[in-house]
């Protein structure tokens, strides 16, 4: 199992919990050396410790991805320490609910800064390394909200659609250099990130009812299921895939 990503180096943002954590564990399980970053350094350390306890290789750092200098420095540091960077999973994001009249310009700016701009900065820093290597996989987390329209989620949907456009542009511009770029588009996964949807729907019970009644599979996805998609996009299993929005949502968006 460890041969799939052996000798590869991965840098992850927002990897201290939920899907990010599951992705970090899965990449390490398949042999990658993983740099786990999160806004909360304690959560990042916990994930890295879990990886090391299972025989993997992990480093950790607290990182605010809206700090351009810190983000660029973190990615450059990975290259300096390991001599390469093979995988970027830019995952950190924010979910601000509300319709046009309920979302302030400051809310939209915050959504854009974290859900789009930070991914741009991370991808740009990673590309400087990967283009020189002639190989690499950039994975940016969007959402199935990037391929459909949620009700009363203007900031979230706008930014998640923008991420997919950015990923596709990167893909066509850099495919000839051996660097692939794809978007990860999860549907409802039972993590704390759903707080915005829960508030919008009026509580946990209405959200659970939506999942059971409106998602064709009738259930939540799990972080581990999404992590399998991360491994696929990171590895040579997807060597001919770039510019793709990989939707993992139990057919909700169909």
């Amino acid at each position: 199992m460890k041969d799939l990503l052996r000798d590869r180096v991965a840098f992850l943002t927002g990897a201290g919990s939920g899907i990010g954590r599951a992705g970090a564990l899965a990449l390490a399980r398949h042999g990658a050396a993983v740099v786990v970053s999160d806004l909360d350094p304690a959560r990042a350390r916990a994930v890295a410790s879990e990886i090391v306890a299972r025989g993997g290789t992990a480093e950790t750092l607290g990182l605010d991805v809206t700090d351009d200098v810190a983000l660029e420095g973190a990615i450059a540091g990975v290259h300096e320490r390991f001599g390469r960077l093979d995988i970027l999973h830019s995952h950190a994001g924010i979910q601000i609910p509300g319709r046009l009249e309920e979302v302030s310009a400051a809310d939209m700016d915050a959504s854009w800064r974290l859900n789009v701009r930070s991914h741009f900065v991370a991808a740009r820093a990673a590309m400087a390394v990967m283009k020189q290597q002639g190989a690499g996989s950039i994975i940016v987390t969007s959402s199935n909200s990037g391929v459909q329209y949620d009700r009363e989620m203007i900031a979230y949907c706008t930014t998640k659609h923008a991420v997919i456009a950015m990923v596709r542009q990167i893909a066509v511009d850099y495919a000839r250099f051996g660097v692939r770029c794809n978007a990860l588009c999860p549907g409802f996964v039972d993590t704390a990130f759903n707080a915005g949807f829960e508030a919008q729907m009026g509580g946990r019970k209405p959200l659970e009812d939506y999942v059971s009644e409106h998602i064709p599979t009738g259930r939540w996805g799990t972080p581990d299921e999404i992590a399998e998609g991360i491994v696929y996009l990171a590895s040579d299993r997807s060597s001919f895939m770039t510019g793709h929005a990989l939707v993992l949502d139990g057919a909700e968006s169909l």
Side-chain angles (χ1 to χ4, degrees), residues 116-235:
V116 183
R117 193 178 186 279
S118 73
H119 299 311
F120 167 83
V121 173
R124 190 171 183 272
M127 188 61 73
V129 178
M130 293 178 177
K131 182 181 175 183
Q132 185 178 11
Q133 289 176 172
S137 175
I138 295 173
I139 305 162
V140 180
T141 297
S142 176
S143 166
N144 72 340
S145 296
V147 298
Q148 63 178 355
Y149 295 93
D150 293 310
R151 300 298 179 261
E152 301 179 3
M153 278 282 178
I154 189 168
Y156 191 67
C157 277
T158 298
T159 54
K160 293 304 183 178
H161 276 74
V163 163
I164 292 175
M166 181 173 67
V167 160
R168 288 173 172 165
Q169 186 66 54
I170 294 170
V172 298
D173 286 343
Y174 289 92
R176 69 188 64 191
F177 298 104
V179 182
R180 299 182 297 109
C181 187
N182 293 286
L184 181 73
C185 301
F188 275 108
V189 178
D190 196 7
T191 71
F193 193 74
N194 290 314
F197 281 112
E198 185 173 327
Q200 177 216 46
M201 292 181 180
R204 175 73 182 190
K205 180 62 165 58
L207 178 56
E208 289 182 342
D209 290 344
Y210 175 87
V211 169
S212 63
E213 295 169 10
H214 294 281
I215 297 178
T217 56
R219 66 173 179 86
W220 303 88
T222 69
D224 287 341
E225 287 174 319
I226 308 304
E228 289 300 314
I230 295 168
V231 170
Y232 176 69
L233 293 176
S235 73

Side-chain angles (χ1 to χ4, degrees), residues 4-13 23-24 26-28 30-36 75 78-79 84-90 122-123 126-127 129-130 133 135-140 179-180 229-236 238:
L4 184 63
L5 295 172
R6 186 180 297 277
D7 298 326
R8 307 221 183 154
V9 177
F11 179 85
L12 291 73
T13 71
L27 292 172
H30 284 280
V34 179
V35 179
V36 181
I75 292 173
V78 172
H79 182 225
R84 61 186 303 110
L85 175 62
D86 303 283
I87 301 155
L88 167 68
H89 181 199
S90 191
M127 188 61 73
V129 178
M130 293 178 177
Q133 289 176 172
S137 175
I138 295 173
I139 305 162
V140 180
V179 182
R180 299 182 297 109
I230 295 168
V231 170
Y232 176 69
L233 293 176
S235 73
D236 292 339
S238 59

Side-chain angles (χ1 to χ4, degrees), residues 14-23 36-38 43-44 47 91 191-192 223:
S17 62
I19 291 170
R21 170 187 171 275
V36 181
S37 76
D38 195 271
R43 293 197 306 192
V47 174
H91 177 66
T191 71

Side-chain angles (χ1 to χ4, degrees), residues 16-98:
S17 62
I19 291 170
R21 170 187 171 275
L25 293 172
L27 292 172
R29 186 168 64 249
H30 284 280
V34 179
V35 179
V36 181
S37 76
D38 195 271
L39 182 62
D40 183 340
R43 293 197 306 192
R45 284 194 297 270
V47 174
S49 296
E50 197 171 349
I51 289 170
V52 172
R54 297 180 184 186
T57 300
E59 290 187 357
T60 179
L61 75 155
L63 178 65
D64 178 355
V65 296
T66 65
D67 182 335
D68 294 355
V69 174
L71 179 54
E72 291 168 348
I75 292 173
V78 172
H79 182 225
E80 291 169 5
R81 292 192 302 281
F82 290 90
R84 61 186 303 110
L85 175 62
D86 303 283
I87 301 155
L88 167 68
H89 181 199
S90 191
H91 177 66
I94 189 172
Q95 186 185 93
I96 295 176

